[in-house]
């Protein structure tokens, strides 16, 4: 059920149940161990990259990064150089940054504005819509069909002002793929929120090590003793598992009347309903997009593999009524506080990677609080193909009765 349709009393009852339970619910299935090889085995990680990452809907950027027709930016986070452009009609499109002559890049900067693209190697020219319009020394090309030499498009769709790309041309449409989550996210007015800030952090660990940490609150008392654990009650947290690997985590404040002092005086999103406005909700769009939404600004976290043993975390912010020319001074404090919490999660990651590569790591016994992680791995096997995952690396599909489909 959508969070904005849940009665406040029902949410409170669910949180109270979670606080008071002595064991997992009786009908919750046993979670088998996650095989350790899924984090370190090169063959499995290659399978993961080819069958999942290369076919997933992945966040590329925000429409504020494309203010005018002809604006463009380049993203490499997906593992491929993808050019995101606003064409002359105002539509957002995506293409591989690859000239159709000999593969040279069309742009080498991270962002810019132009009326078209000209390859710097041999001068082939393309429109903002990706159509080939001119080649140098055309007389020396025999029967060159311009219509067959357009830039190769990448699937590009939007969630409000958020731009997602997918290298799988046959992928399910983004909004269909999000399923029940899509309707719930309407309350955040994502088509009106402005781009505030974005920062990247390169970390020496497999991407799943950090992603796992943002799918549970079991670690708060160890890692965030002086920050998040002071105001969040992890014992009252409850989870919703959705199809296609997506999920939601709702964690109550320790005191019902507590409000983040860093948000006082900031503009609010008026359409956000009572439950997410007064609690801490975090959405996960599979595989790597985490959105701990609030009614005064939303951090957007992405976790990108850069190799089998390294990753990049990108932390961005969107907010209502933000003026980039005259930003509120409150943002500097808020982002710095957020970065402090983020560093707490990053601090041990390289050492965890080292430990996972030892013979001492054989697998992960997950608890009830960590069921979003198991849900993530079940979905990974489905995307790879259940009969394609090596038996020693496979996870058992046990959470199907726990997934909310409407």
């Amino acid at each position: 059920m959508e969070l904005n349709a849940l009665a406040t009393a029902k949410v409170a009852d669910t949180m109270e149940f979670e606080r008071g339970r002595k064991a997992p619910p009786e009908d919750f299935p046993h979670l088998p161990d996650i095989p350790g090889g899924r984090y370190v085995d090169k063959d499995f990680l290659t399978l993961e990259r080819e069958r999942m990452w290369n076919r997933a809907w992945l966040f590329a950027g925000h429409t504020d990064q494309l203010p005018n027709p002809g604006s463009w930016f380049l993203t490499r986070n997906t593992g491929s150089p993808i050019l995101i452009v606003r064409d002359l009609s105002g539509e957002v499109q995506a293409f591989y940054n690859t000239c159709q002559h000999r593969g040279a890049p069309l742009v080498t900067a991270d962002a810019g504005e132009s009326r078209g693209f000209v390859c710097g190697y041999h001068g082939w020219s393309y429109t903002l819509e990706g159509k080939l319009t001119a080649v140098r020394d055309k007389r020396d090309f025999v029967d060159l069909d311009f219509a067959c030499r357009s830039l190769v498009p990448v699937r590009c769709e939007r969630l409000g002002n958020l731009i997602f790309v997918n290298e799988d041309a046959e992928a399910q449409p983004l909004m269909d793929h999000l399923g029940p989550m899509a309707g719930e996210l309407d309350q955040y007015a994502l088509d009106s929120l402005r781009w505030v800030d974005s920062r990247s952090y390169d970390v020496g660990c497999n991407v799943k090590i950090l992603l796992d940490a943002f799918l549970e609150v079991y670690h708060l008392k160890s890692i965030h003793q002086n920050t998040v654990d002071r105001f969040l009650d992890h014992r009252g947290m409850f989870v919703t598992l959705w199809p296609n690997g997506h999920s939601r985590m709702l964690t109550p404040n320790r005191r019902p009347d507590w409000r983040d002092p860093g948000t006082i005086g900031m503009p609010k999103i008026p359409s956000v309903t009572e439950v997410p406005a007064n609690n801490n909700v975090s959405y996960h769009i599979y595989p790597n997009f985490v959105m701990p939404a609030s009614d005064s600004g939303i951090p957007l976290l992405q976790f990108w593999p850069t190799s089998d043993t390294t990753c990049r975390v990108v932390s961005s912010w969107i907010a209502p009524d933000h003026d980039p020319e005259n930003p509120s001074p409150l943002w500097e404090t808020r982002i710095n506080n957020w970065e402090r919490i983020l560093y707490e999660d990053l601090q041990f990651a390289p050492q965890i990677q080292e430990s996972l590569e030892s013979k001492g790591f054989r697998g992960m016994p997950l608890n009830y609080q960590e069921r979003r992680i198991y849900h993530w791995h079940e979905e990974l096997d489905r995307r790879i193909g259940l009969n394609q995952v090596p038996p020693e690396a496979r996870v058992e599909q046990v959470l199907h009765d726990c997934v909310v489909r409407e």
Side-chain angles (χ1 to χ4, degrees), residues 16-80:
E16 194 58 36
F17 166 79
E18 290 293 338
R19 289 190 187 97
R21 63 179 174 78
K22 304 299 182 181
E26 291 184 1
D27 59 349
F28 187 76
H30 169 70
L31 299 180
D33 285 13
I34 300 292
R38 296 171 71 91
Y39 287 73
V40 296
D41 182 79
K42 291 187 179 301
D43 290 338
F44 181 83
L45 296 176
T46 297
L47 198 61
E48 176 185 295
R49 181 173 59 255
E50 293 175 350
R51 299 293 182 88
M52 189 274 283
W53 289 100
N54 290 350
R55 300 178 180 180
W57 281 109
L58 302 170
F59 178 68
H62 189 278
T63 55
D64 277 359
Q65 296 171 266
L66 303 171
N68 305 305
S71 297
W72 54 266
F73 66 86
L74 184 64
T75 179
R76 299 181 179 88
N77 285 326
T78 67
S80 299

Side-chain angles (χ1 to χ4, degrees), residues 188 193 263 269 272 276-277 279 281 291-299 317 320 334:
Y188 296 102
L193 303 188
T263 67
I269 306 169
V272 173
N279 296 277
V281 61
M291 191 172 80
S294 83
D295 61 355
S296 62
I298 301 177
W317 281 87
R334 187 172 183 181

Side-chain angles (χ1 to χ4, degrees), residues 246-260:
H246 312 311
S247 62
R248 177 188 65 208
M249 179 170 63
L250 187 68
T251 309
N253 296 320
R254 289 186 178 275
R255 300 197 321 269
D257 61 343
W258 185 88
R259 297 294 180 271
D260 184 351

